[in-house]
Amino acid sequence: MAEKILIVEDEAKIARFIELELAHEGYETDKAEDGRKGLELAESGVYDLVLLDIMLPGLNGLEVLRRLRRTSDVPVIVLTARDAVMDKVSGLDMGADDYVTKPFAIEELLARIRLALRRRGSRKAAEDVLTCGELTLSVPRHEVKFGGEEIGLTSREFSLLQTLLENKNVVLSRDSLLEKVWGYDYMGETNVVDVYVRYLRNKIDNVYGQNLIQTVRGVGYVIRDEHE
Ligand code: CA
């Protein structure tokens, strides 16, 4: 799927030039010609990266960035005028990922874009791995390991463990585990949670001499990292 880039730039010629170059590189693009429109689009969450000019009508680029960062960590590259040192510093302070000074060579801009997208990609991959001590669960790989050794789980065991890990150190009631793992419409016995917790303990805690999945009497279960 093509990565989507938002171009917030009021100078039509520059915006058009960037748009054509990005299209040529296989990116999808949208354009906004003023700060307000740019902020509105950037906040939509559909973009993989935002190119943000600083000198913009309506709302300037730094103000767009400041507001955007309240809700979004989308990579932002600011476009600043040459020698506008304050703009670069403020932009980075406000959470820009990088800056490019105008006039820029398109190759430099493309390189910065690739770099920002790559950094974002590795950040996301790291977020997709849940851990508790030596136990790791990779969501995209659907893989569970303890100390690097792979553990085979059924899909229900996997989603129970994933739910516990997503709520690490937080006690979950049987009811909330049922709802999260088996769904609202589950009609069977509530002790299915206890049964599956036992399966997980048999495959993890009992094999590796751990006490990760703990019972909180009268409440439910928690996965605990004793080192945190
Ligand atoms: Ca401008």
Side-chain angles (χ1 to χ4, degrees), residues 98-174:
D98 210 342
Y99 63 84
V100 171
T101 50
K102 290 181 180 177
F104 50 82
I106 191 67
E107 282 310 326
E108 184 192 351
L109 180 64
L110 293 173
R112 302 272 176 183
I113 289 172
R114 284 193 296 270
L115 185 67
L117 289 172
R118 209 159 52 228
R119 272 198 230 113
R120 171 177 173 274
S122 46
R123 199 169 69 209
K124 282 201 124 176
E127 283 167 5
D128 288 339
V129 176
L130 303 167
T131 66
C132 183
E134 287 185 70
L135 183 71
T136 61
L137 180 148
S138 161
V139 181
R141 290 164 173 270
H142 214 267
E143 192 178 77
V144 176
K145 289 181 174 177
F146 189 92
E149 192 177 332
E150 198 166 343
I151 301 169
L153 296 183
T154 65
S155 67
R156 194 72 84 182
E157 291 164 354
F158 186 92
S159 46
L160 176 59
L161 183 61
Q162 181 179 345
T163 304
L164 288 166
L165 285 169
E166 282 167 350
N167 298 279
K168 187 164 69 172
N169 301 324
V170 175
V171 181
L172 296 173
S173 69
R174 283 177 182 75

Side-chain angles (χ1 to χ4, degrees), residues 9-11 53-57 102:
E9 167 64 80
D10 59 317
E11 283 159 83
D53 185 31
I54 296 292
M55 298 293 280
L56 287 170
K102 290 181 180 177

